Amino acid sequence: MTRTPCQLYLISPLDVSGDFPDRLTEALDAGPVAAFQFRVKGLDQHEAARLAEPLQAICAARDVAFIVNDDVALAKRLGADGVHLGQDDGDPREVRRELGPQAQIGVTCHASRHFAMEAGEAGADYVAFGAFFPTTTKAVEHHADPEILEWWQGMFELPCVAIGGITPENGRPLVDAGADFLAVSGGVWAHPEGPAAAVRAFSALLENQPAG
């Protein structure tokens, strides 16, 4: 069976105010992006929705899936394409009932094969492994090795996402190991030449994939 080439999955910085909609537009127009995850912390739902709506429209206009991090109620309020769950953010079965059959539900599985298999059995649409590299985006409690991606691809058809400190320079082993998506935040938004340059660099990495 031929595997679909690895794709780019953008995760927002925690601050999406100010000129961030322009920066998101710049990033999405620079190269192929499969999904964008709206990840903010400590805001009430009204404020989060206010910030999310223009970003959701930018994604919709470019056929980029809009995924909400952690907050099932916000995802439902926005009519988002899906939600990404941490290990403490709810059971995918219950979230499926809440959001419906079309919602994309992803689950953080750290470096745990057990968590990933549980998520798959619970009906998740993808599992996320990481962190693969040091990252300043969040505190890293779990370190994953590329071998877990190889194992997952050899056992399951469900897509897997690699996350954690990924850059155009270090991402190749994760692509080669079988990641279906590279989830990136700082590697794009903190790129010294700006988000468009970062997306172009990731596009160059993802263009050169062996078939298989």
Side-chain angles (χ1 to χ4, degrees):
M1 188 179 69
T2 301
R3 190 165 65 86
T4 302
C6 185
Q7 301 176 78
L8 186 60
Y9 180 151
L10 286 187
I11 299 176
S12 77
L14 292 175
D15 183 0
V16 295
S17 60
D19 69 347
F20 184 74
D22 294 334
R23 299 180 72 217
L24 177 61
T25 299
E26 182 185 334
L28 298 187
D29 287 347
V33 175
F36 171 76
Q37 185 185 124
F38 179 75
R39 179 178 180 267
V40 298
K41 303 289 182 182
L43 302 180
D44 67 48
Q45 195 181 101
H46 296 291
E47 177 66 5
R50 184 187 71 79
L51 291 167
E53 284 166 356
L55 307 181
Q56 186 177 12
I58 290 165
C59 290
R62 291 157 178 80
D63 199 27
V64 173
F66 186 85
I67 308 295
V68 171
N69 178 264
D70 293 352
D71 193 331
V72 177
L74 179 61
K76 186 173 183 178
R77 172 176 176 162
L78 292 169
D81 295 305
V83 67
H84 184 87
L85 305 173
Q87 281 295 310
D88 302 318
D89 294 326
D91 185 311
R93 296 178 188 87
E94 295 173 9
V95 174
R96 176 74 64 201
R97 285 193 286 271
E98 184 81 7
L99 297 183
Q102 301 305 314
Q104 295 291 308
I105 299 174
V107 178
T108 292
C109 299
H110 305 303
S112 170
R113 300 180 182 202
H114 175 70
F115 285 167
M117 289 188 288
E118 277 192 337
E121 288 169 4
D125 294 290
Y126 69 84
V127 297
F129 295 112
F132 286 93
F133 304 105
T135 173
T136 58
T137 303
K138 61 188 296 186
V140 174
E141 299 174 17
H142 308 272
H143 176 77
D145 293 309
E147 187 269 336
I148 199 169
L149 301 171
E150 296 177 0
W151 166 78
W152 183 261
Q153 284 292 356
M155 296 282 288
F156 304 98
E157 294 184 15
L158 200 67
C160 61
V161 175
I163 191 168
I166 300 170
T167 68
E169 292 73 34
N170 66 20
R172 169 58 61 190
L174 305 179
V175 176
D176 291 345
D180 294 291
F181 299 90
L182 298 183
V184 179
S185 184
V188 167
W189 310 118
H191 192 281
E193 296 174 29
V199 170
R200 285 193 292 269
F202 274 108
S203 296
L205 167 68
L206 297 176
E207 276 171 8
N208 299 306
Q209 296 183 52

